[in-house]
Amino acid sequence: MRILHTGDWHLGKTLEGFSRLEEQELFLDDFVRIAEENDIDLVIIAGDVYDSFNPSAKAEKMFYDTLKRLSDGGKRLTLVIAGNHDSPDRLVAAGPLARDHGIIMMGTPKTVVEAGIYGQHQIIDSEEGFIEIEINGERAVIVAVAFPSEKRLNEILYTGMESDEEKLRSYEDRMNQLFRNLEKNYREDTINLLVSHLFVMGSVESGSERSIQLGGSYLISGDILPEAAQYIALGHVHKPQMVPGSKRRARYAGSPIHYSKNEISFQKSLVKVDLSPMTIPTIEEIPLKTYKPIEVWQCDSLADTIKKCEDNSNRNCWVYLEIKTDQYLKENQIKELKDLKNDIISIRPITPEEIAGEEEIKTFRERAFDELFKDFYKNQRGIEASQETMNMILSLVYGEDENETD
Ligand SMILES: [Mn+2]
């Protein structure tokens, strides 16, 4: 069976108010083409199809058109689950109509998809949180857990008869229980998959996700993911990556488009997975085009900025301007820049005082914390903190930049 894993499309998402629909349309065209060219049997969209609970009519039309094209008259199956950005009800509203096109939609962990014919394939069996499908004679058991918010998770786990102690169990404990219940459906004669939209500890966020792990409560550890799942297709994190602690079986496909300037350093991609029962899957990352790059231009003066805007006036890109200057920009100067170059998202003048001040704050904070922590560690443990420990603590304090090695 050949699978194409994607997620976090966020149709309708803007860049600080600027529409990205054009780029999103280009991606959707490419996506359908890639599915066709690679002879994909099953498409998995791991949540966050839309950016909001109330997607625009345009965004919805784009999604439905894409599903229909993917289906190619029911030849290809597509499984869609809701992410934290999607309204479960709204996302699956078209489910019954989509069935003829081989489209399976799951809004919450409690969704039960009706068994029967879907396009040219079928769902053999289904219950809360899992389906068994047959595609061209091959069977797959898919544990599918649409975004498990605290409330939705409790709805599937609890009957109302639990003791207070049971109700107070951590989010991770409850997810662990859910996976232990659901993994019983995996068999040796089927392909075994898991699809969900959640945050696994240690994954590297890029900043355009809306945090779902409020106060750390929605975190799970990679080692509670079911052992018998051969491939685990996740959504939520926008940087494509292998999931820490998952023994290389779980991946975030990432969003297909750079949704913030913090993401521009990495390549967007899809994941193509080939597998049969009891085998280790063959995995290939399919790189995506950058349809309209987001760029940060650091300019040394206003004159330098004007020249850069002129030189790039024909290029299709989003621009954040940072201009070193010792005076505030006047309205006519800003207008001149915006007349020369389309799609300037913001203009940030950087004064000499600011440059000096930032340097000073940065040096002071990093040095001070670094040294304080080293002293603290030595005091507590009686040994020097290793470089690994230092890297980890610095990345926790200052963000992700220090540990982007994988
Ligand atoms: Mn997302």
Side-chain angles (χ1 to χ4, degrees):
M1 189 173 293
R2 181 170 285 174
I3 298 165
L4 189 58
H5 165 203
T6 179
D8 294 278
W9 288 3
H10 287 268
L11 301 179
K13 189 173 177 67
T14 66
L15 182 62
E16 306 192 24
F18 289 79
S19 169
R20 315 287 303 268
L21 287 172
E22 247 175 71
E23 293 158 84
Q24 289 161 348
E25 293 233 55
L26 291 171
F27 158 67
L28 294 174
D29 278 347
D30 275 346
F31 187 77
V32 173
R33 185 181 47 75
I34 290 168
E36 281 165 358
E37 283 175 3
N38 286 277
D39 229 347
I40 297 297
D41 298 308
L42 170 67
V43 171
I44 294 176
I45 307 176
D48 286 356
V49 168
Y50 300 116
D51 194 50
S52 87
F53 266 49
N54 276 309
S56 66
K58 169 82 178 160
E60 279 189 322
K61 186 174 185 315
M62 280 162 59
F63 182 52
Y64 291 135
D65 283 349
T66 303
L67 287 179
K68 198 172 162 194
R69 287 164 67 202
L70 277 173
S71 148
D72 192 11
K75 266 192 235 153
R76 189 171 291 116
L77 268 188
T78 297
L79 169 64
V80 188
I81 64 163
N84 56 310
H85 284 253
D86 301 309
S87 151
D89 294 338
R90 182 120 183 210
L91 182 74
V92 306
L97 288 172
R99 187 171 160 172
D100 288 346
H101 294 287
I103 294 149
I104 304 163
M105 295 170 147
M106 300 173 83
T108 75
K110 221 174 153 50
T111 303
V112 181
V113 180
E114 209 182 322
I117 303 292
Y118 283 71
Q120 299 179 15
H121 308 284
Q122 57 176 324
I123 295 184
I124 310 276
D125 191 10
S126 64
E127 268 173 45
E128 282 180 3
F130 99 95
I131 52 174
E132 180 176 343
I133 57 170
E134 185 174 292
I135 297 177
N136 306 324
E138 279 188 299
R139 296 243 182 140
V141 169
I142 309 178
V143 169
V145 183
F147 173 53
S149 66
E150 191 107 37
K151 182 166 167 279
R152 295 176 207 161
L153 181 58
N154 290 349
E155 279 168 7
I156 190 172
L157 282 183
Y158 292 157
T159 56
M161 304 296 285
E162 288 72 21
S163 65
D164 285 350
E165 201 177 303
E166 274 178 290
K167 283 183 193 154
L168 284 171
R169 287 187 306 152
S170 72
Y171 180 78
E172 185 180 31
D173 275 353
R174 281 174 281 156
M175 284 302 294
N176 187 33
Q177 187 195 329
L178 180 68
F179 287 144
R180 300 297 75 82
N181 295 345
L182 290 171
E183 71 187 352
K184 292 176 191 140
N185 296 297
Y186 291 135
R187 298 202 310 270
E188 288 192 356
D189 64 331
T190 56
I191 289 166
N192 297 320
L193 302 167
L194 174 81
V195 180
S196 194
H197 191 92
L198 41 77
F199 186 75
V200 180
M201 224 179 289
S203 310
V204 181
E205 287 183 285
S206 57
S208 66
E209 303 91 355
R210 185 190 304 146
S211 200
I212 55 176
Q213 63 284 5
L214 301 161
S217 62
Y218 279 13
L219 283 173
I220 66 156
S221 146
D223 55 26
I224 69 163
L225 295 165
E227 212 41 64
Q230 291 163 279
Y231 181 74
I232 300 174
L234 296 182
H236 177 57
V237 174
H238 290 182
K239 177 179 179 173
Q241 63 195 285
M242 200 119 69
V243 174
S246 71
K247 298 180 186 154
R248 312 177 76 81
R249 294 166 305 138
R251 278 178 185 257
Y252 286 109
S255 63
I257 287 169
H258 293 113
Y259 278 126
S260 89
K261 64 176 158 56
N262 302 325
E263 299 184 18
I264 55 186
S265 62
F266 49 83
Q267 169 76 52
K268 294 297 189 178
S269 54
L270 307 168
V271 193
K272 181 171 118 180
V273 185
D274 275 286
L275 77 180
S276 17
M278 303 296 286
T279 61
I280 293 173
T282 307
I283 288 171
E284 187 192 326
E285 276 184 30
I286 301 179
L288 291 168
K289 281 183 216 148
T290 302
Y291 300 96
K292 182 166 175 173
I294 300 173
E295 300 183 1
V296 180
W297 294 354
Q298 287 161 330
C299 305
D300 286 332
S301 65
L302 185 60
D304 180 32
T305 316
I306 289 170
K307 174 144 196 332
K308 193 138 192 191
C309 286
E310 271 170 355
D311 292 349
N312 289 277
S313 64
N314 292 324
R315 283 185 55 235
N316 194 25
C317 56
W318 303 109
V319 178
Y320 287 84
L321 281 180
E322 296 181 1
I323 310 170
K324 285 185 189 166
T325 169
D326 47 13
Q327 46 196 295
Y328 283 102
L329 295 177
K330 297 188 190 79
E331 217 160 289
N332 63 325
Q333 292 171 317
I334 292 172
K335 186 174 181 303
E336 185 185 0
L337 294 173
K338 289 191 171 173
D339 285 345
L340 286 170
K341 176 75 189 88
N342 287 334
D343 305 322
I344 294 177
I345 304 288
S346 77
I347 302 176
R348 190 175 147 226
I350 302 176
T351 58
E353 294 79 30
E354 211 174 320
I355 296 167
E358 267 179 17
E359 285 293 312
E360 206 174 293
I361 291 167
K362 210 174 143 203
T363 317
F364 172 75
R365 280 178 55 196
E366 275 173 15
R367 226 192 239 143
F369 180 78
D370 210 86
E371 281 160 16
L372 279 173
F373 181 77
K374 274 188 180 163
D375 282 351
F376 168 79
Y377 194 91
K378 201 169 175 191
N379 242 322
Q380 294 287 309
R381 304 268 178 113
I383 48 164
E384 297 280 349
S386 67
Q387 194 54 49
E388 203 180 327
T389 306
M390 287 311 296
N391 288 348
M392 191 178 76
I393 194 79
L394 288 173
S395 76
L396 284 172
V397 173
Y398 294 111
E400 64 195 38
D401 295 339
E402 281 86 350
N403 65 355
E404 269 189 72
T405 47
D406 58 347

